[in-house]
Amino acid sequence: MQLKFEHQQYQTDAVGAVVRLFEGEPNHKQLFELNAGGASPVVANRLHLPHSEIGRNLNAVQKAFKQPETQIGEHGLNFSVEMETGTGKTYVYLRTVFELNRRYGWKKFVIVVPSVAIREGVVQSIRAMTAHFQTAFDKPAFQFHVYSSERLNALRNFAVNHHIEILMMNIDAFNKDKNVINRVNESGNAPIQWISGTRPIVMIDEPQNMETDLAKQAIDALNPLFVLRYSATHKNPYHKIYSLNPIEAYNLKLVKQIEVEPVLAKNDVNGAYVVLKGFVPGKKKLSAKVEIHYQDKKETKKKTVTIASGDDLFDKSGGNESYRHGFIVNRLDAEAAEMVLSNGQIITLGEGGDALRDEVMKKQIECTIKEHLAKEKRLNPKGIKVLSLFFIDRVANYRNGGKFARWFEEIYERETGKSAAGAHNGYFSQDKNGDKDTNGSSAADEKTYDLIMRDKEKLLSFNSPLRFIFSHSALKEGWDNPNVFQICTLNETRSPVKKRQEIGRGLRLAVNQRGERVRDEGVNILTVVANESYESFAANLQKEYEDECGIEFGNGGAKPRAKRTRQHFRRGFTLDPAFLEIWKKLQHKTRYSVQFEREKLIQTACEKIKEMAQVQKPQIMVQKAVIRQTQTDGIWGEERSSRAEQADIDWEIPDVLHEIQKKTLLTRQTVFEILHRSGRIGEIGNNPQRFIDLATEKIQTALYGLMMEGIEYFRLPYDDSVYQQSLASWQELEQDGKEFFKNEHTFAINQKDGKKREKTIYADYIPLDSDTENRFALDCENYENVKFYFKLPKCFKIPTPIGNYNPDWALVMENQEKVYFVAETKNTGKGIQEGVDMDKLRETEQQKIRCAARCFAVFDGVAYRTVKKVEELA
């Protein structure tokens, strides 16, 4: 198959942006000059246009394409073109070569790439595009070479030939003094001088990977006439002259639309799960990040913690009994990428995992095959071959009967009734021992790239039965295929491949059997079968666009990013009588006592466990969501479907009574009686840890409810030292202020009207968390009978059986007499009458509020209220 290339308007614009930089330059087609030594004729590029004129052209181009205007002296003759992956970046800079030659007669071009993968991709593009450019530019004579230190004579040909010469170089081939190209030979010259003598136009592919001082010096050593930089993710956009960012490309339908099909494990918190995520080098001691099952007060969940040699995962897990014996870290070895535990277990970087991980990956393969077959049924009659790409992180999982190959063949043959032979294959680097894991940048990868590049067009033909491609990290960059419609990431590490890198392998618009682009929107849909939620996928993709492309998303649906700001306090507020009066009242410390009957607890807890939802087995959840993108609203997913399947796994049952006893502090006998009477013990086998978490929650709810009924607060004797200490903390804030993150709820103390603001302790901002709180602060400023108010600091806490409670506000109000309030602001919506509907609050909120009411009842002259508005404080 011969791919056909169309010249799109946006590509014409990108080429034209470069050409227009040099308007006024004469055509040098017939000219040549001698090299510095004069020994042999070197055909060199020449530039007559002064920099000042190029600078005026630059600003005109930037204005035309709505790019920030820059001064030519800022970056010299370095120019950047930004184009999203899949929109023909390589085509654009290769066409620019021929356009610059036609317009200005320049003949010598060097393309610099950062890796073998990208180099091989460009080589394949030039092979595929040669016929197209021959037709478009009236058969220009040109030579293309890939630099090799073993063929240095090719550099002389590059220098002396009179037709277009394109030389491709990997940056690693000429960025060190020891490189062959930089070594001085018997004649006293270094081979690189053949290139530098031609004043080549240098085109850098993915320049963000070549921003080190060493790389910059190497580029300068080429003595470029000027430098053109092409990328989708510029780190430093030197004189940006054209931009087609990912949002624009997506919404102009220049790339495939994206849908995500997440495959996730639910309720999966059983056993001693350990995944080694990475190493953290330190000055004194090596540490590592591991993901484990962590137990907090409420539930067991996955959490990443930092560990070092000698640490016990039992302690790091919050006392999870699964790690009680044998989980002390005996050794960390960053070089071998492994961690050794005291039970003898060796955990390699990226290995380990939960019992459901294999089930999730098997389901990912199934979803990919089903999606593939459905698209084949729809697209094959249109002459479009469908390809699916699997990324894996360990070659052994595919080759020689690896689990991925076994699962694929089982599922494929079950779904199609046909043999899987020939339908799938892997592209991996090899050494003398066979396939190997590599990072995509080694010499061993070159054959892999060569193979996949040679097969690129073959893969598009119905004549080849191969439709499912398995590859290692080698294909993370530099290779894509227009007919990749599914991408499935089977990485045991769960380490996130960059989303742009992941989807980039399949963003190009599809082609049919005649090699023509298919621009049907219903055809061009890329399905990413992911092991993360679509919300997470969208959020990570948006963050990459922000970080790598500098895209700023508006507020029309995307929550604006909070800004770090300093909050200042009103000078002298700690001497204000109103503040001192209420703060002195609030500084009394309290303690509480509780009473309840054991039998009533057993009865109440038993009833709550009877009523709790059935303990579900761990599930594998499959969703599907369309990804939407706009520069106004950001990136989000719209869910279209979801389904869940139970996973049948036999769990090792822990000591359930001990686990619940440890969390509730009740006796083993009491816990046993509660569970026995509840009739729910039979559900433990479904999901032991989830049963423990749920039953504990119900027992604690019953326990706390009884404690609330019998709670009694006592005010402790006044302690002047505690009061003075807290007053000193206020005085420190008065002096220095504090940092906070400003958001849409932050209340600004408006001083533009010239009025003095002395009703509160703040000089500029009050950090708040809701519209209700913001309205409350505004009313405090406007209501005449509010004489003083402020937000209670986080350190002000009321002790309760279910944890400390921090109320919202302190107020001094005055009508005929002065009244002191502590207020909690809640908004439960409009009810039958004004105020807060306590029944709509979470049970824990209700319990803390009831405790606070009893606590403040022992304070002198302080009333506690739960309100929505200031006017409700009577």
Side-chain angles (χ1 to χ4, degrees), residues 23-47:
E23 285 184 349
E25 179 73 13
N27 193 307
H28 302 274
K29 204 160 192 176
Q30 304 302 321
L31 301 177
F32 71 91
E33 62 188 17
L34 300 180
N35 69 350
S40 58
V42 172
V43 178
N45 295 325
R46 303 170 66 185
L47 181 62

Side-chain angles (χ1 to χ4, degrees), residues 772-788:
T772 302
E773 287 188 337
N774 186 282
R775 179 55 191 263
F776 191 88
L778 181 63
D779 287 347
C780 284
E781 284 290 337
N782 293 334
Y783 278 43
E784 289 184 11
N785 61 333
V786 176
K787 301 302 179 184
F788 200 85

Side-chain angles (χ1 to χ4, degrees), residues 104-307:
Y104 303 115
W106 291 320
K107 298 180 178 181
K108 303 304 167 74
F109 300 86
V110 175
I111 299 171
V112 181
V113 295
S115 68
V116 173
I118 293 174
R119 186 191 72 196
E120 292 304 311
V122 178
V123 169
Q124 172 62 19
S125 295
I126 291 175
R127 288 176 185 149
M129 296 173 188
T130 295
H132 171 76
F133 289 136
Q134 290 281 6
T135 302
F137 291 91
D138 195 23
K139 299 182 180 178
F142 76 95
Q143 292 273 7
F144 170 74
H145 309 277
V146 176
Y147 168 75
S148 169
S149 60
E150 297 175 357
R151 298 192 302 273
L152 292 176
N153 62 318
L155 297 183
R156 186 183 186 283
N157 294 334
F158 172 85
V160 303
N161 285 343
H162 283 258
H163 46 246
I164 299 170
E165 288 281 337
I166 303 171
L167 177 67
M168 172 162 296
M169 305 182 75
N170 191 314
I171 187 67
D172 289 334
F174 68 102
N175 64 353
K176 304 176 191 70
D177 291 339
K178 66 180 182 181
N179 291 134
V180 172
I181 197 170
N182 293 320
R183 293 181 201 158
V184 176
N185 54 32
E186 304 82 20
S187 65
N189 297 314
I192 197 171
Q193 290 175 267
W194 284 114
I195 303 174
S196 61
T198 68
R199 297 297 314 277
I201 295 168
V202 174
M203 297 174 159
I204 307 180
D205 196 329
E206 307 296 355
Q208 70 276 8
N209 297 317
M210 291 174 266
E211 289 289 349
T212 64
D213 289 340
L214 203 63
K216 291 177 181 177
Q217 290 167 12
I219 299 296
D220 289 342
L222 297 175
N223 192 26
L225 195 70
F226 54 85
V227 179
L228 302 174
R229 299 163 178 268
Y230 293 83
S231 177
T233 54
H234 285 285
K235 185 177 180 181
N236 295 308
Y238 305 92
H239 294 319
K240 191 189 289 187
I241 57 174
Y242 180 82
S243 175
L244 178 68
N245 72 37
I247 299 294
E248 293 164 340
Y250 187 89
N251 289 312
L252 289 171
K253 307 295 190 291
L254 302 177
V255 293
K256 288 194 183 89
Q257 306 296 286
I258 304 167
E259 65 180 16
V260 182
E261 191 164 352
V263 181
L264 306 168
K266 290 185 65 180
N267 294 325
D268 174 28
V269 288
N270 294 282
Y273 161 83
V274 184
V275 171
L276 178 57
K277 307 281 283 185
F279 291 93
V280 183
K283 290 183 179 179
K284 295 182 180 179
K285 197 172 186 180
L286 178 69
S287 60
K289 298 281 188 183
V290 295
E291 191 175 52
I292 57 177
H293 283 152
Y294 178 83
Q295 287 187 342
D296 63 16
K297 291 181 180 179
K298 184 177 180 182
E299 63 178 329
T300 303
K301 55 191 176 185
K302 288 181 172 62
K303 182 179 179 180
T304 299
V305 298
T306 302
I307 55 99

